[in-house]
Short mmCIF file of all heavy atoms in Angstrom, two decimals:
data_model
loop_
_atom_site.label_atom_id
_atom_site.label_comp_id
_atom_site.label_asym_id
_atom_site.label_seq_id
_atom_site.Cartn_x
_atom_site.Cartn_y
_atom_site.Cartn_z
N VAL A 443 -4.16 17.71 -22.31
CA VAL A 443 -4.65 18.88 -21.64
C VAL A 443 -3.97 20.09 -22.17
O VAL A 443 -4.62 21.13 -22.42
CB VAL A 443 -4.49 18.73 -20.09
CG1 VAL A 443 -4.82 20.03 -19.39
CG2 VAL A 443 -5.36 17.59 -19.56
N LEU A 444 -2.67 20.06 -22.25
CA LEU A 444 -1.87 21.24 -22.67
C LEU A 444 -2.17 21.63 -24.14
O LEU A 444 -2.14 22.80 -24.49
CB LEU A 444 -0.40 21.00 -22.51
CG LEU A 444 0.05 20.92 -21.03
CD1 LEU A 444 1.61 20.67 -20.97
CD2 LEU A 444 -0.26 22.20 -20.27
N LYS A 445 -2.54 20.65 -24.95
CA LYS A 445 -2.90 20.94 -26.36
C LYS A 445 -4.12 21.85 -26.35
O LYS A 445 -4.15 22.88 -27.05
CB LYS A 445 -3.21 19.67 -27.11
CG LYS A 445 -3.58 19.88 -28.58
CD LYS A 445 -4.25 18.66 -29.23
CE LYS A 445 -5.69 18.48 -28.83
NZ LYS A 445 -6.38 17.43 -29.62
N TYR A 446 -5.18 21.48 -25.60
CA TYR A 446 -6.35 22.34 -25.56
C TYR A 446 -6.12 23.62 -24.83
O TYR A 446 -6.70 24.67 -25.19
CB TYR A 446 -7.49 21.54 -24.88
CG TYR A 446 -8.14 20.51 -25.77
CD1 TYR A 446 -7.95 19.17 -25.54
CD2 TYR A 446 -8.90 20.85 -26.90
CE1 TYR A 446 -8.53 18.19 -26.38
CE2 TYR A 446 -9.47 19.96 -27.71
CZ TYR A 446 -9.28 18.58 -27.44
OH TYR A 446 -9.84 17.67 -28.28
N TYR A 447 -5.24 23.60 -23.86
CA TYR A 447 -4.89 24.83 -23.13
C TYR A 447 -4.28 25.85 -24.07
O TYR A 447 -4.60 27.06 -24.03
CB TYR A 447 -3.99 24.53 -21.95
CG TYR A 447 -3.71 25.76 -21.09
CD1 TYR A 447 -4.57 26.06 -20.03
CD2 TYR A 447 -2.58 26.56 -21.32
CE1 TYR A 447 -4.27 27.17 -19.22
CE2 TYR A 447 -2.29 27.68 -20.48
CZ TYR A 447 -3.14 27.93 -19.46
OH TYR A 447 -2.94 29.06 -18.69
N ARG A 448 -3.33 25.38 -24.88
CA ARG A 448 -2.62 26.30 -25.81
C ARG A 448 -3.55 26.74 -26.95
O ARG A 448 -3.38 27.89 -27.41
CB ARG A 448 -1.40 25.57 -26.41
CG ARG A 448 -0.34 25.25 -25.41
CD ARG A 448 0.89 24.67 -25.97
NE ARG A 448 1.89 24.32 -25.01
CZ ARG A 448 2.25 23.12 -24.69
NH1 ARG A 448 1.74 22.08 -25.30
NH2 ARG A 448 3.14 22.91 -23.72
N LEU A 449 -4.54 25.95 -27.31
CA LEU A 449 -5.50 26.41 -28.33
C LEU A 449 -6.41 27.51 -27.80
O LEU A 449 -6.85 28.38 -28.54
CB LEU A 449 -6.36 25.23 -28.77
CG LEU A 449 -5.69 24.20 -29.73
CD1 LEU A 449 -6.62 22.99 -29.91
CD2 LEU A 449 -5.35 24.83 -31.05
N GLY A 450 -6.65 27.47 -26.49
CA GLY A 450 -7.53 28.48 -25.87
C GLY A 450 -9.01 27.98 -25.91
O GLY A 450 -9.33 26.99 -26.51
N SER A 451 -9.86 28.74 -25.24
CA SER A 451 -11.23 28.36 -25.06
C SER A 451 -11.97 28.18 -26.43
O SER A 451 -12.53 27.17 -26.70
CB SER A 451 -11.98 29.39 -24.22
OG SER A 451 -13.35 29.12 -24.18
N HIS A 452 -11.88 29.22 -27.28
CA HIS A 452 -12.64 29.20 -28.52
C HIS A 452 -12.09 28.19 -29.51
O HIS A 452 -12.78 27.30 -30.04
CB HIS A 452 -12.62 30.60 -29.18
CG HIS A 452 -13.38 30.69 -30.46
ND1 HIS A 452 -14.75 30.50 -30.54
CD2 HIS A 452 -12.97 30.91 -31.72
CE1 HIS A 452 -15.13 30.59 -31.77
NE2 HIS A 452 -14.09 30.82 -32.52
N ARG A 453 -10.78 28.28 -29.80
CA ARG A 453 -10.15 27.33 -30.78
C ARG A 453 -10.18 25.90 -30.25
O ARG A 453 -10.32 24.97 -31.06
CB ARG A 453 -8.74 27.77 -31.07
CG ARG A 453 -8.63 29.04 -31.95
CD ARG A 453 -7.21 29.40 -32.27
NE ARG A 453 -6.49 28.27 -32.91
CZ ARG A 453 -5.22 28.14 -32.84
NH1 ARG A 453 -4.43 28.99 -32.18
NH2 ARG A 453 -4.62 27.12 -33.51
N GLY A 454 -10.08 25.73 -28.97
CA GLY A 454 -10.13 24.38 -28.39
C GLY A 454 -11.48 23.73 -28.60
O GLY A 454 -11.57 22.54 -29.01
N ARG A 455 -12.56 24.49 -28.43
CA ARG A 455 -13.91 23.96 -28.68
C ARG A 455 -14.08 23.58 -30.17
O ARG A 455 -14.70 22.58 -30.48
CB ARG A 455 -14.94 24.98 -28.28
CG ARG A 455 -15.00 25.37 -26.81
CD ARG A 455 -15.88 26.55 -26.61
NE ARG A 455 -15.57 27.32 -25.44
CZ ARG A 455 -16.26 27.32 -24.32
NH1 ARG A 455 -17.33 26.54 -24.22
NH2 ARG A 455 -15.88 28.00 -23.26
N ILE A 456 -13.56 24.45 -31.04
CA ILE A 456 -13.66 24.22 -32.48
C ILE A 456 -12.93 22.95 -32.85
O ILE A 456 -13.43 22.09 -33.58
CB ILE A 456 -13.16 25.38 -33.28
CG1 ILE A 456 -14.06 26.61 -33.17
CG2 ILE A 456 -13.00 25.01 -34.76
CD1 ILE A 456 -13.58 27.87 -33.80
N ASP A 457 -11.71 22.78 -32.25
CA ASP A 457 -10.93 21.56 -32.57
C ASP A 457 -11.63 20.34 -32.10
O ASP A 457 -11.66 19.31 -32.82
CB ASP A 457 -9.55 21.72 -31.86
CG ASP A 457 -8.58 20.62 -32.26
OD1 ASP A 457 -7.91 20.76 -33.31
OD2 ASP A 457 -8.52 19.58 -31.54
N LEU A 458 -12.16 20.33 -30.89
CA LEU A 458 -12.87 19.18 -30.35
C LEU A 458 -14.12 18.90 -31.22
O LEU A 458 -14.40 17.72 -31.56
CB LEU A 458 -13.30 19.44 -28.88
CG LEU A 458 -14.09 18.32 -28.22
CD1 LEU A 458 -13.28 17.05 -28.17
CD2 LEU A 458 -14.56 18.75 -26.83
N GLN A 459 -14.90 19.92 -31.52
CA GLN A 459 -16.10 19.75 -32.36
C GLN A 459 -15.72 19.14 -33.70
O GLN A 459 -16.39 18.20 -34.20
CB GLN A 459 -16.80 21.06 -32.53
CG GLN A 459 -18.08 21.02 -33.34
CD GLN A 459 -19.32 20.77 -32.48
OE1 GLN A 459 -19.17 20.62 -31.27
NE2 GLN A 459 -20.48 20.75 -33.08
N SER A 460 -14.64 19.59 -34.29
CA SER A 460 -14.20 19.09 -35.57
C SER A 460 -13.82 17.65 -35.51
O SER A 460 -14.14 16.82 -36.37
CB SER A 460 -13.01 19.96 -36.08
OG SER A 460 -12.52 19.45 -37.32
N THR A 461 -13.04 17.29 -34.47
CA THR A 461 -12.58 15.90 -34.29
C THR A 461 -13.77 14.96 -34.13
O THR A 461 -13.81 13.90 -34.81
CB THR A 461 -11.70 15.78 -33.04
OG1 THR A 461 -10.53 16.61 -33.21
CG2 THR A 461 -11.26 14.38 -32.79
N LEU A 462 -14.70 15.30 -33.31
CA LEU A 462 -15.84 14.41 -33.06
C LEU A 462 -16.82 14.41 -34.23
O LEU A 462 -17.37 13.37 -34.55
CB LEU A 462 -16.58 14.84 -31.78
CG LEU A 462 -15.77 14.93 -30.49
CD1 LEU A 462 -16.66 15.13 -29.26
CD2 LEU A 462 -14.96 13.61 -30.31
N SER A 463 -16.98 15.53 -34.92
CA SER A 463 -17.86 15.56 -36.09
C SER A 463 -17.34 14.64 -37.20
O SER A 463 -18.09 13.94 -37.88
CB SER A 463 -17.90 17.00 -36.67
OG SER A 463 -18.53 17.88 -35.71
N ALA A 464 -16.00 14.61 -37.36
CA ALA A 464 -15.42 13.76 -38.39
C ALA A 464 -15.65 12.30 -38.10
O ALA A 464 -15.85 11.46 -39.01
CB ALA A 464 -13.90 14.03 -38.49
N ILE A 465 -15.66 11.92 -36.77
CA ILE A 465 -15.86 10.52 -36.41
C ILE A 465 -17.30 10.09 -36.74
O ILE A 465 -17.56 8.99 -37.25
CB ILE A 465 -15.56 10.34 -34.91
CG1 ILE A 465 -14.06 10.55 -34.66
CG2 ILE A 465 -15.98 8.93 -34.45
CD1 ILE A 465 -13.67 10.49 -33.19
N VAL A 466 -18.26 10.94 -36.44
CA VAL A 466 -19.68 10.51 -36.54
C VAL A 466 -20.37 10.88 -37.86
O VAL A 466 -21.51 10.50 -38.05
CB VAL A 466 -20.52 11.11 -35.34
CG1 VAL A 466 -19.95 10.70 -34.00
CG2 VAL A 466 -20.58 12.60 -35.47
N TYR A 467 -19.68 11.57 -38.72
CA TYR A 467 -20.36 12.13 -39.91
C TYR A 467 -21.16 11.06 -40.69
O TYR A 467 -22.31 11.22 -40.97
CB TYR A 467 -19.33 12.76 -40.88
CG TYR A 467 -19.98 13.28 -42.14
CD1 TYR A 467 -20.61 14.54 -42.16
CD2 TYR A 467 -20.00 12.53 -43.34
CE1 TYR A 467 -21.24 15.01 -43.29
CE2 TYR A 467 -20.65 13.01 -44.44
CZ TYR A 467 -21.25 14.21 -44.41
OH TYR A 467 -21.88 14.70 -45.55
N ARG A 468 -20.51 9.93 -40.99
CA ARG A 468 -21.22 8.90 -41.79
C ARG A 468 -22.28 8.11 -41.04
O ARG A 468 -23.06 7.35 -41.61
CB ARG A 468 -20.20 7.94 -42.39
CG ARG A 468 -19.33 7.22 -41.38
CD ARG A 468 -18.48 6.18 -42.11
NE ARG A 468 -19.29 5.05 -42.52
CZ ARG A 468 -18.93 3.77 -42.32
NH1 ARG A 468 -17.80 3.51 -41.68
NH2 ARG A 468 -19.71 2.81 -42.71
N TYR A 469 -22.29 8.29 -39.68
CA TYR A 469 -23.24 7.57 -38.85
C TYR A 469 -24.51 8.33 -38.53
O TYR A 469 -25.49 7.81 -38.00
CB TYR A 469 -22.58 7.08 -37.54
CG TYR A 469 -21.40 6.18 -37.75
CD1 TYR A 469 -20.09 6.68 -37.79
CD2 TYR A 469 -21.59 4.80 -38.00
CE1 TYR A 469 -19.02 5.86 -38.06
CE2 TYR A 469 -20.52 3.97 -38.21
CZ TYR A 469 -19.23 4.52 -38.24
OH TYR A 469 -18.15 3.70 -38.48
N ILE A 470 -24.45 9.71 -38.72
CA ILE A 470 -25.59 10.52 -38.39
C ILE A 470 -26.38 10.76 -39.68
O ILE A 470 -25.86 11.42 -40.62
CB ILE A 470 -25.16 11.84 -37.81
CG1 ILE A 470 -24.45 11.61 -36.46
CG2 ILE A 470 -26.35 12.82 -37.61
CD1 ILE A 470 -25.34 11.24 -35.31
N THR A 471 -27.58 10.23 -39.81
CA THR A 471 -28.42 10.42 -40.97
C THR A 471 -29.80 10.78 -40.56
O THR A 471 -30.34 10.18 -39.59
CB THR A 471 -28.45 9.20 -41.87
OG1 THR A 471 -28.89 8.01 -41.08
CG2 THR A 471 -27.10 8.88 -42.44
N PRO A 472 -30.50 11.71 -41.23
CA PRO A 472 -31.88 12.04 -40.92
C PRO A 472 -32.75 10.84 -41.10
O PRO A 472 -32.64 10.13 -42.13
CB PRO A 472 -32.23 13.16 -41.89
CG PRO A 472 -30.90 13.71 -42.35
CD PRO A 472 -29.95 12.54 -42.31
N SER A 473 -33.63 10.56 -40.17
CA SER A 473 -34.52 9.38 -40.25
C SER A 473 -35.49 9.48 -41.39
O SER A 473 -36.18 10.43 -41.56
CB SER A 473 -35.27 9.25 -38.92
OG SER A 473 -36.12 8.15 -38.93
N GLN A 474 -35.53 8.41 -42.18
CA GLN A 474 -36.51 8.24 -43.31
C GLN A 474 -36.37 9.34 -44.38
O GLN A 474 -37.27 9.53 -45.17
CB GLN A 474 -37.94 8.24 -42.74
CG GLN A 474 -38.20 7.25 -41.63
CD GLN A 474 -37.93 5.83 -42.06
OE1 GLN A 474 -38.28 5.48 -43.17
NE2 GLN A 474 -37.35 5.00 -41.18
N THR A 475 -35.27 10.03 -44.41
CA THR A 475 -35.09 11.07 -45.44
C THR A 475 -33.69 10.96 -46.04
O THR A 475 -32.79 10.45 -45.40
CB THR A 475 -35.25 12.49 -44.85
OG1 THR A 475 -34.31 12.66 -43.84
CG2 THR A 475 -36.64 12.66 -44.29
N PRO A 476 -33.45 11.47 -47.27
CA PRO A 476 -32.12 11.48 -47.86
C PRO A 476 -31.16 12.24 -46.97
O PRO A 476 -31.53 13.29 -46.41
CB PRO A 476 -32.33 12.15 -49.18
CG PRO A 476 -33.79 12.01 -49.51
CD PRO A 476 -34.49 12.02 -48.21
N ALA A 477 -29.97 11.70 -46.82
CA ALA A 477 -29.00 12.32 -45.90
C ALA A 477 -28.24 13.46 -46.57
O ALA A 477 -27.12 13.32 -47.03
CB ALA A 477 -28.01 11.24 -45.44
N SER A 478 -28.90 14.61 -46.70
CA SER A 478 -28.24 15.80 -47.26
C SER A 478 -27.16 16.31 -46.37
O SER A 478 -27.20 16.09 -45.16
CB SER A 478 -29.25 16.91 -47.54
OG SER A 478 -29.73 17.45 -46.28
N TYR A 479 -26.21 17.02 -46.96
CA TYR A 479 -25.06 17.49 -46.17
C TYR A 479 -25.51 18.43 -45.05
O TYR A 479 -25.12 18.25 -43.92
CB TYR A 479 -24.11 18.22 -47.12
CG TYR A 479 -22.88 18.79 -46.41
CD1 TYR A 479 -21.80 18.01 -46.13
CD2 TYR A 479 -22.87 20.14 -46.00
CE1 TYR A 479 -20.71 18.52 -45.47
CE2 TYR A 479 -21.75 20.64 -45.33
CZ TYR A 479 -20.68 19.82 -45.06
OH TYR A 479 -19.63 20.34 -44.41
N GLN A 480 -26.35 19.40 -45.38
CA GLN A 480 -26.75 20.38 -44.39
C GLN A 480 -27.62 19.76 -43.24
O GLN A 480 -27.53 20.14 -42.09
CB GLN A 480 -27.54 21.55 -45.02
CG GLN A 480 -27.62 22.77 -44.15
CD GLN A 480 -26.29 23.27 -43.64
OE1 GLN A 480 -25.34 23.36 -44.46
NE2 GLN A 480 -26.16 23.57 -42.37
N ALA A 481 -28.45 18.76 -43.65
CA ALA A 481 -29.24 18.06 -42.65
C ALA A 481 -28.35 17.34 -41.67
O ALA A 481 -28.60 17.32 -40.49
CB ALA A 481 -30.20 17.09 -43.33
N ARG A 482 -27.26 16.75 -42.17
CA ARG A 482 -26.34 16.02 -41.27
C ARG A 482 -25.63 17.04 -40.40
O ARG A 482 -25.38 16.74 -39.18
CB ARG A 482 -25.26 15.28 -42.13
CG ARG A 482 -25.84 14.05 -42.79
CD ARG A 482 -24.73 13.15 -43.24
NE ARG A 482 -25.22 12.05 -44.05
CZ ARG A 482 -24.52 10.98 -44.36
NH1 ARG A 482 -23.26 10.88 -43.96
NH2 ARG A 482 -25.03 10.01 -45.09
N VAL A 483 -25.29 18.23 -40.90
CA VAL A 483 -24.62 19.21 -40.09
C VAL A 483 -25.45 19.56 -38.91
O VAL A 483 -24.98 19.62 -37.74
CB VAL A 483 -24.29 20.44 -40.91
CG1 VAL A 483 -23.84 21.62 -40.02
CG2 VAL A 483 -23.20 20.17 -41.98
N THR A 484 -26.71 19.83 -39.12
CA THR A 484 -27.65 20.18 -38.02
C THR A 484 -27.78 19.06 -37.05
O THR A 484 -27.75 19.32 -35.83
CB THR A 484 -29.00 20.54 -38.61
OG1 THR A 484 -28.89 21.60 -39.59
CG2 THR A 484 -29.97 20.97 -37.54
N LEU A 485 -27.93 17.85 -37.54
CA LEU A 485 -28.07 16.69 -36.61
C LEU A 485 -26.80 16.47 -35.80
O LEU A 485 -26.85 16.09 -34.61
CB LEU A 485 -28.43 15.40 -37.40
CG LEU A 485 -29.87 15.32 -37.86
CD1 LEU A 485 -30.07 14.01 -38.67
CD2 LEU A 485 -30.79 15.26 -36.64
N ILE A 486 -25.63 16.59 -36.45
CA ILE A 486 -24.37 16.39 -35.73
C ILE A 486 -24.28 17.40 -34.61
O ILE A 486 -23.85 17.06 -33.47
CB ILE A 486 -23.21 16.54 -36.70
CG1 ILE A 486 -23.10 15.33 -37.61
CG2 ILE A 486 -21.85 16.69 -35.96
CD1 ILE A 486 -22.12 15.45 -38.73
N GLU A 487 -24.63 18.67 -34.86
CA GLU A 487 -24.59 19.68 -33.81
C GLU A 487 -25.51 19.33 -32.63
O GLU A 487 -25.14 19.44 -31.52
CB GLU A 487 -24.95 21.07 -34.41
CG GLU A 487 -23.91 21.57 -35.39
CD GLU A 487 -24.38 22.82 -36.12
OE1 GLU A 487 -25.55 23.24 -35.88
OE2 GLU A 487 -23.58 23.42 -36.86
N ASP A 488 -26.72 18.92 -32.97
CA ASP A 488 -27.69 18.51 -31.94
C ASP A 488 -27.17 17.33 -31.14
O ASP A 488 -27.26 17.30 -29.89
CB ASP A 488 -29.04 18.15 -32.54
CG ASP A 488 -29.78 19.37 -33.10
OD1 ASP A 488 -29.40 20.49 -32.79
OD2 ASP A 488 -30.67 19.19 -33.89
N PHE A 489 -26.66 16.32 -31.86
CA PHE A 489 -26.14 15.13 -31.17
C PHE A 489 -24.96 15.45 -30.22
O PHE A 489 -24.94 14.98 -29.08
CB PHE A 489 -25.72 14.10 -32.23
CG PHE A 489 -24.82 13.01 -31.67
CD1 PHE A 489 -25.35 12.06 -30.81
CD2 PHE A 489 -23.47 12.99 -31.99
CE1 PHE A 489 -24.55 11.07 -30.28
CE2 PHE A 489 -22.66 12.00 -31.44
CZ PHE A 489 -23.21 11.04 -30.59
N LEU A 490 -24.03 16.23 -30.72
CA LEU A 490 -22.86 16.52 -29.92
C LEU A 490 -23.15 17.40 -28.70
O LEU A 490 -22.54 17.20 -27.65
CB LEU A 490 -21.76 17.20 -30.78
CG LEU A 490 -21.04 16.32 -31.79
CD1 LEU A 490 -20.00 17.10 -32.61
CD2 LEU A 490 -20.37 15.10 -31.13
N GLN A 491 -24.14 18.26 -28.79
CA GLN A 491 -24.52 19.00 -27.58
C GLN A 491 -24.99 18.09 -26.48
O GLN A 491 -24.63 18.22 -25.33
CB GLN A 491 -25.61 20.02 -27.93
CG GLN A 491 -25.15 21.21 -28.78
CD GLN A 491 -23.91 21.85 -28.24
OE1 GLN A 491 -23.91 22.27 -27.05
NE2 GLN A 491 -22.87 22.06 -29.02
N GLY A 492 -25.79 17.10 -26.85
CA GLY A 492 -26.20 16.09 -25.87
C GLY A 492 -25.05 15.24 -25.37
O GLY A 492 -24.98 14.90 -24.19
N PHE A 493 -24.12 14.93 -26.30
CA PHE A 493 -22.97 14.09 -25.86
C PHE A 493 -22.07 14.81 -24.89
O PHE A 493 -21.51 14.25 -23.99
CB PHE A 493 -22.19 13.66 -27.12
CG PHE A 493 -21.04 12.72 -26.77
CD1 PHE A 493 -21.27 11.39 -26.54
CD2 PHE A 493 -19.75 13.19 -26.67
CE1 PHE A 493 -20.26 10.56 -26.21
CE2 PHE A 493 -18.72 12.35 -26.38
CZ PHE A 493 -18.93 10.97 -26.10
N TYR A 494 -21.92 16.19 -25.10
CA TYR A 494 -21.11 16.93 -24.15
C TYR A 494 -21.67 16.89 -22.75
O TYR A 494 -20.93 16.86 -21.76
CB TYR A 494 -21.00 18.39 -24.62
CG TYR A 494 -20.23 18.55 -25.92
CD1 TYR A 494 -20.65 19.52 -26.89
CD2 TYR A 494 -19.13 17.77 -26.22
CE1 TYR A 494 -19.93 19.64 -28.08
CE2 TYR A 494 -18.44 17.89 -27.44
CZ TYR A 494 -18.85 18.88 -28.32
OH TYR A 494 -18.13 19.06 -29.51
N VAL A 495 -23.00 16.95 -22.65
CA VAL A 495 -23.61 16.78 -21.32
C VAL A 495 -23.35 15.45 -20.68
O VAL A 495 -22.99 15.36 -19.53
CB VAL A 495 -25.16 17.06 -21.44
CG1 VAL A 495 -25.82 16.78 -20.10
CG2 VAL A 495 -25.44 18.44 -21.91
N GLU A 496 -23.45 14.37 -21.53
CA GLU A 496 -23.17 13.04 -21.02
C GLU A 496 -21.69 12.96 -20.59
O GLU A 496 -21.42 12.37 -19.52
CB GLU A 496 -23.39 12.02 -22.14
CG GLU A 496 -22.97 10.61 -21.75
CD GLU A 496 -23.12 9.62 -22.86
OE1 GLU A 496 -23.78 9.91 -23.83
OE2 GLU A 496 -22.43 8.55 -22.78
N SER A 497 -20.80 13.53 -21.39
CA SER A 497 -19.40 13.50 -21.05
C SER A 497 -19.11 14.22 -19.72
O SER A 497 -18.34 13.79 -18.91
CB SER A 497 -18.55 14.11 -22.18
OG SER A 497 -17.23 14.23 -21.82
N LEU A 498 -19.76 15.40 -19.51
CA LEU A 498 -19.54 16.09 -18.26
C LEU A 498 -19.99 15.28 -17.05
O LEU A 498 -19.36 15.27 -16.04
CB LEU A 498 -20.29 17.47 -18.34
CG LEU A 498 -20.15 18.37 -17.11
CD1 LEU A 498 -18.65 18.69 -16.83
CD2 LEU A 498 -20.96 19.66 -17.30
N ASN A 499 -21.15 14.60 -17.20
CA ASN A 499 -21.65 13.78 -16.12
C ASN A 499 -20.65 12.64 -15.86
O ASN A 499 -20.42 12.26 -14.72
CB ASN A 499 -23.04 13.24 -16.47
CG ASN A 499 -24.09 14.32 -16.39
OD1 ASN A 499 -23.99 15.24 -15.62
ND2 ASN A 499 -25.14 14.15 -17.21
N ALA A 500 -20.12 12.07 -16.93
CA ALA A 500 -19.14 10.96 -16.78
C ALA A 500 -17.90 11.47 -16.14
O ALA A 500 -17.31 10.77 -15.28
CB ALA A 500 -18.81 10.35 -18.16
N PHE A 501 -17.46 12.68 -16.46
CA PHE A 501 -16.29 13.25 -15.86
C PHE A 501 -16.51 13.46 -14.37
O PHE A 501 -15.63 13.18 -13.55
CB PHE A 501 -15.99 14.61 -16.53
CG PHE A 501 -14.82 15.31 -15.97
CD1 PHE A 501 -13.52 14.90 -16.19
CD2 PHE A 501 -14.97 16.48 -15.17
CE1 PHE A 501 -12.41 15.52 -15.69
CE2 PHE A 501 -13.92 17.15 -14.66
CZ PHE A 501 -12.61 16.70 -14.91
N ARG A 502 -17.66 14.01 -13.98
CA ARG A 502 -17.94 14.20 -12.58
C ARG A 502 -17.92 12.84 -11.83
O ARG A 502 -17.39 12.77 -10.76
CB ARG A 502 -19.33 14.84 -12.41
CG ARG A 502 -19.44 16.28 -12.93
CD ARG A 502 -20.89 16.62 -13.03
NE ARG A 502 -21.12 18.00 -13.39
CZ ARG A 502 -22.23 18.52 -13.91
NH1 ARG A 502 -23.28 17.68 -14.12
NH2 ARG A 502 -22.34 19.78 -14.23
N ARG A 503 -18.52 11.85 -12.45
CA ARG A 503 -18.66 10.52 -11.84
C ARG A 503 -17.29 9.90 -11.68
O ARG A 503 -16.94 9.35 -10.59
CB ARG A 503 -19.60 9.67 -12.65
CG ARG A 503 -19.84 8.26 -12.07
CD ARG A 503 -20.86 7.52 -12.93
NE ARG A 503 -20.41 7.23 -14.27
CZ ARG A 503 -20.95 7.79 -15.35
NH1 ARG A 503 -21.91 8.73 -15.22
NH2 ARG A 503 -20.49 7.50 -16.54
#
Side-chain angles (χ1 to χ4, degrees):
V443 172
L444 291 180
K445 181 193 78 169
Y446 283 109
Y447 185 88
R448 294 184 182 113
L449 285 172
S451 173
H452 180 66
R453 287 181 57 204
R455 296 170 205 254
I456 291 177
D457 187 85
L458 178 62
Q459 182 91 357
S460 177
T461 298
L462 302 189
S463 296
I465 294 174
V466 302
Y467 179 81
R468 58 175 287 228
Y469 299 95
I470 297 286
T471 55
S473 178
Q474 307 300 321
T475 59
S478 68
Y479 179 83
Q480 195 56 45
R482 287 196 187 193
V483 169
T484 303
L485 280 179
I486 288 172
E487 292 171 356
D488 291 343
F489 164 70
L490 287 179
Q491 289 308 307
F493 184 78
Y494 293 143
V495 174
E496 175 188 340
S497 174
L498 181 58
N499 288 330
F501 178 73
R502 292 165 176 163
R503 182 174 64 249

